[in-house]
PDB file of all heavy atoms in Angstrom:
ATOM      1  N   LEU A 800      55.457 111.385  89.219  1.00  0.00           N
ATOM      2  CA  LEU A 800      56.764 111.144  88.612  1.00  0.00           C
ATOM      3  C   LEU A 800      57.804 110.724  89.632  1.00  0.00           C
ATOM      4  O   LEU A 800      58.758 110.012  89.292  1.00  0.00           O
ATOM      5  CB  LEU A 800      57.245 112.416  87.894  1.00  0.00           C
ATOM      6  CG  LEU A 800      56.447 112.871  86.690  1.00  0.00           C
ATOM      7  CD1 LEU A 800      56.928 114.226  86.201  1.00  0.00           C
ATOM      8  CD2 LEU A 800      56.553 111.843  85.561  1.00  0.00           C
ATOM      9  N   SER A 801      57.644 111.177  90.882  1.00  0.00           N
ATOM     10  CA  SER A 801      58.694 110.949  91.868  1.00  0.00           C
ATOM     11  C   SER A 801      58.127 110.667  93.258  1.00  0.00           C
ATOM     12  O   SER A 801      58.369 111.422  94.191  1.00  0.00           O
ATOM     13  CB  SER A 801      59.618 112.177  91.910  1.00  0.00           C
ATOM     14  OG  SER A 801      60.761 111.916  92.682  1.00  0.00           O
ATOM     15  N   PRO A 802      57.417 109.553  93.411  1.00  0.00           N
ATOM     16  CA  PRO A 802      56.846 109.244  94.730  1.00  0.00           C
ATOM     17  C   PRO A 802      57.881 108.785  95.739  1.00  0.00           C
ATOM     18  O   PRO A 802      57.560 108.661  96.919  1.00  0.00           O
ATOM     19  CB  PRO A 802      55.846 108.131  94.410  1.00  0.00           C
ATOM     20  CG  PRO A 802      56.415 107.450  93.209  1.00  0.00           C
ATOM     21  CD  PRO A 802      57.051 108.549  92.398  1.00  0.00           C
ATOM     22  N   GLU A 803      59.108 108.507  95.294  1.00  0.00           N
ATOM     23  CA  GLU A 803      60.141 108.044  96.211  1.00  0.00           C
ATOM     24  C   GLU A 803      60.930 109.195  96.825  1.00  0.00           C
ATOM     25  O   GLU A 803      61.900 108.960  97.548  1.00  0.00           O
ATOM     26  CB  GLU A 803      61.100 107.094  95.470  1.00  0.00           C
ATOM     27  CG  GLU A 803      60.422 105.901  94.814  1.00  0.00           C
ATOM     28  CD  GLU A 803      59.745 104.981  95.820  1.00  0.00           C
ATOM     29  OE1 GLU A 803      60.220 104.920  96.965  1.00  0.00           O
ATOM     30  OE2 GLU A 803      58.749 104.331  95.454  1.00  0.00           O
ATOM     31  N   GLU A 804      60.541 110.426  96.522  1.00  0.00           N
ATOM     32  CA  GLU A 804      61.209 111.587  97.103  1.00  0.00           C
ATOM     33  C   GLU A 804      60.232 112.286  98.050  1.00  0.00           C
ATOM     34  O   GLU A 804      59.129 112.673  97.638  1.00  0.00           O
ATOM     35  CB  GLU A 804      61.683 112.545  96.009  1.00  0.00           C
ATOM     36  CG  GLU A 804      62.810 111.949  95.182  1.00  0.00           C
ATOM     37  CD  GLU A 804      63.249 112.863  94.048  1.00  0.00           C
ATOM     38  OE1 GLU A 804      62.490 113.769  93.670  1.00  0.00           O
ATOM     39  OE2 GLU A 804      64.358 112.648  93.539  1.00  0.00           O
ATOM     40  N   PRO A 805      60.599 112.458  99.312  1.00  0.00           N
ATOM     41  CA  PRO A 805      59.653 113.033 100.280  1.00  0.00           C
ATOM     42  C   PRO A 805      59.216 114.446  99.934  1.00  0.00           C
ATOM     43  O   PRO A 805      58.118 114.862 100.299  1.00  0.00           O
ATOM     44  CB  PRO A 805      60.445 113.001 101.594  1.00  0.00           C
ATOM     45  CG  PRO A 805      61.890 112.946 101.191  1.00  0.00           C
ATOM     46  CD  PRO A 805      61.909 112.164  99.923  1.00  0.00           C
ATOM     47  N   GLN A 806      60.051 115.192  99.209  1.00  0.00           N
ATOM     48  CA  GLN A 806      59.680 116.555  98.832  1.00  0.00           C
ATOM     49  C   GLN A 806      58.411 116.566  97.985  1.00  0.00           C
ATOM     50  O   GLN A 806      57.656 117.548  98.001  1.00  0.00           O
ATOM     51  CB  GLN A 806      60.821 117.221  98.054  1.00  0.00           C
ATOM     52  CG  GLN A 806      62.056 117.488  98.876  1.00  0.00           C
ATOM     53  CD  GLN A 806      62.996 116.301  98.925  1.00  0.00           C
ATOM     54  OE1 GLN A 806      62.649 115.202  98.480  1.00  0.00           O
ATOM     55  NE2 GLN A 806      64.187 116.497  99.444  1.00  0.00           N
ATOM     56  N   SER A 807      58.161 115.493  97.243  1.00  0.00           N
ATOM     57  CA  SER A 807      56.971 115.442  96.398  1.00  0.00           C
ATOM     58  C   SER A 807      55.707 115.514  97.247  1.00  0.00           C
ATOM     59  O   SER A 807      54.737 116.196  96.887  1.00  0.00           O
ATOM     60  CB  SER A 807      56.979 114.170  95.558  1.00  0.00           C
ATOM     61  OG  SER A 807      58.152 114.083  94.766  1.00  0.00           O
ATOM     62  N   TYR A 808      55.700 114.815  98.369  1.00  0.00           N
ATOM     63  CA  TYR A 808      54.547 114.867  99.273  1.00  0.00           C
ATOM     64  C   TYR A 808      54.498 116.206 100.009  1.00  0.00           C
ATOM     65  O   TYR A 808      53.423 116.791 100.189  1.00  0.00           O
ATOM     66  CB  TYR A 808      54.634 113.728 100.294  1.00  0.00           C
ATOM     67  CG  TYR A 808      54.400 112.364  99.700  1.00  0.00           C
ATOM     68  CD1 TYR A 808      55.461 111.591  99.249  1.00  0.00           C
ATOM     69  CD2 TYR A 808      53.117 111.845  99.586  1.00  0.00           C
ATOM     70  CE1 TYR A 808      55.257 110.326  98.704  1.00  0.00           C
ATOM     71  CE2 TYR A 808      52.896 110.582  99.047  1.00  0.00           C
ATOM     72  CZ  TYR A 808      53.974 109.835  98.601  1.00  0.00           C
ATOM     73  OH  TYR A 808      53.756 108.593  98.054  1.00  0.00           O
ATOM     74  N   ARG A 809      55.662 116.672 100.463  1.00  0.00           N
ATOM     75  CA  ARG A 809      55.667 117.920 101.236  1.00  0.00           C
ATOM     76  C   ARG A 809      55.191 119.092 100.377  1.00  0.00           C
ATOM     77  O   ARG A 809      54.376 119.913 100.829  1.00  0.00           O
ATOM     78  CB  ARG A 809      57.070 118.201 101.775  1.00  0.00           C
ATOM     79  CG  ARG A 809      57.150 119.460 102.627  1.00  0.00           C
ATOM     80  CD  ARG A 809      58.505 119.620 103.294  1.00  0.00           C
ATOM     81  NE  ARG A 809      58.512 120.835 104.101  1.00  0.00           N
ATOM     82  CZ  ARG A 809      58.879 122.026 103.648  1.00  0.00           C
ATOM     83  NH1 ARG A 809      59.295 122.163 102.398  1.00  0.00           N
ATOM     84  NH2 ARG A 809      58.839 123.087 104.435  1.00  0.00           N
ATOM     85  N   ASP A 810      55.674 119.188  99.160  1.00  0.00           N
ATOM     86  CA  ASP A 810      55.269 120.292  98.289  1.00  0.00           C
ATOM     87  C   ASP A 810      53.766 120.272  98.035  1.00  0.00           C
ATOM     88  O   ASP A 810      53.101 121.312  98.090  1.00  0.00           O
ATOM     89  CB  ASP A 810      56.025 120.216  96.956  1.00  0.00           C
ATOM     90  CG  ASP A 810      57.511 120.488  97.101  1.00  0.00           C
ATOM     91  OD1 ASP A 810      57.902 121.142  98.083  1.00  0.00           O
ATOM     92  OD2 ASP A 810      58.282 120.049  96.228  1.00  0.00           O
ATOM     93  N   LEU A 811      53.223 119.087  97.747  1.00  0.00           N
ATOM     94  CA  LEU A 811      51.786 118.985  97.482  1.00  0.00           C
ATOM     95  C   LEU A 811      50.989 119.298  98.742  1.00  0.00           C
ATOM     96  O   LEU A 811      49.973 120.012  98.686  1.00  0.00           O
ATOM     97  CB  LEU A 811      51.445 117.588  96.965  1.00  0.00           C
ATOM     98  CG  LEU A 811      49.963 117.315  96.677  1.00  0.00           C
ATOM     99  CD1 LEU A 811      49.399 118.309  95.671  1.00  0.00           C
ATOM    100  CD2 LEU A 811      49.774 115.882  96.177  1.00  0.00           C
ATOM    101  N   GLY A 812      51.438 118.807  99.891  1.00  0.00           N
ATOM    102  CA  GLY A 812      50.724 119.087 101.131  1.00  0.00           C
ATOM    103  C   GLY A 812      50.679 120.566 101.447  1.00  0.00           C
ATOM    104  O   GLY A 812      49.633 121.102 101.856  1.00  0.00           O
ATOM    105  N   LEU A 813      51.795 121.273 101.237  1.00  0.00           N
ATOM    106  CA  LEU A 813      51.822 122.713 101.503  1.00  0.00           C
ATOM    107  C   LEU A 813      50.943 123.470 100.509  1.00  0.00           C
ATOM    108  O   LEU A 813      50.344 124.500 100.861  1.00  0.00           O
ATOM    109  CB  LEU A 813      53.256 123.229 101.460  1.00  0.00           C
ATOM    110  CG  LEU A 813      54.170 122.699 102.578  1.00  0.00           C
ATOM    111  CD1 LEU A 813      55.593 123.236 102.400  1.00  0.00           C
ATOM    112  CD2 LEU A 813      53.636 123.071 103.954  1.00  0.00           C
ATOM    113  N   ALA A 814      50.852 122.978  99.276  1.00  0.00           N
ATOM    114  CA  ALA A 814      49.960 123.619  98.304  1.00  0.00           C
ATOM    115  C   ALA A 814      48.500 123.441  98.715  1.00  0.00           C
ATOM    116  O   ALA A 814      47.690 124.365  98.616  1.00  0.00           O
ATOM    117  CB  ALA A 814      50.198 123.038  96.911  1.00  0.00           C
ATOM    118  N   TYR A 815      48.150 122.240  99.171  1.00  0.00           N
ATOM    119  CA  TYR A 815      46.790 122.035  99.689  1.00  0.00           C
ATOM    120  C   TYR A 815      46.508 123.001 100.838  1.00  0.00           C
ATOM    121  O   TYR A 815      45.421 123.594 100.921  1.00  0.00           O
ATOM    122  CB  TYR A 815      46.637 120.604 100.183  1.00  0.00           C
ATOM    123  CG  TYR A 815      46.383 119.573  99.122  1.00  0.00           C
ATOM    124  CD1 TYR A 815      47.051 118.345  99.142  1.00  0.00           C
ATOM    125  CD2 TYR A 815      45.450 119.783  98.117  1.00  0.00           C
ATOM    126  CE1 TYR A 815      46.813 117.380  98.177  1.00  0.00           C
ATOM    127  CE2 TYR A 815      45.210 118.826  97.146  1.00  0.00           C
ATOM    128  CZ  TYR A 815      45.899 117.618  97.185  1.00  0.00           C
ATOM    129  OH  TYR A 815      45.646 116.669  96.224  1.00  0.00           O
TER     130      TYR A 815
END
Side-chain angles (χ1 to χ4, degrees):
L800 294 173
S801 190
E803 304 297 331
E804 292 177 341
Q806 292 86 351
S807 303
Y808 290 93
R809 182 173 180 270
D810 292 337
L811 178 57
L813 294 178
Y815 280 136

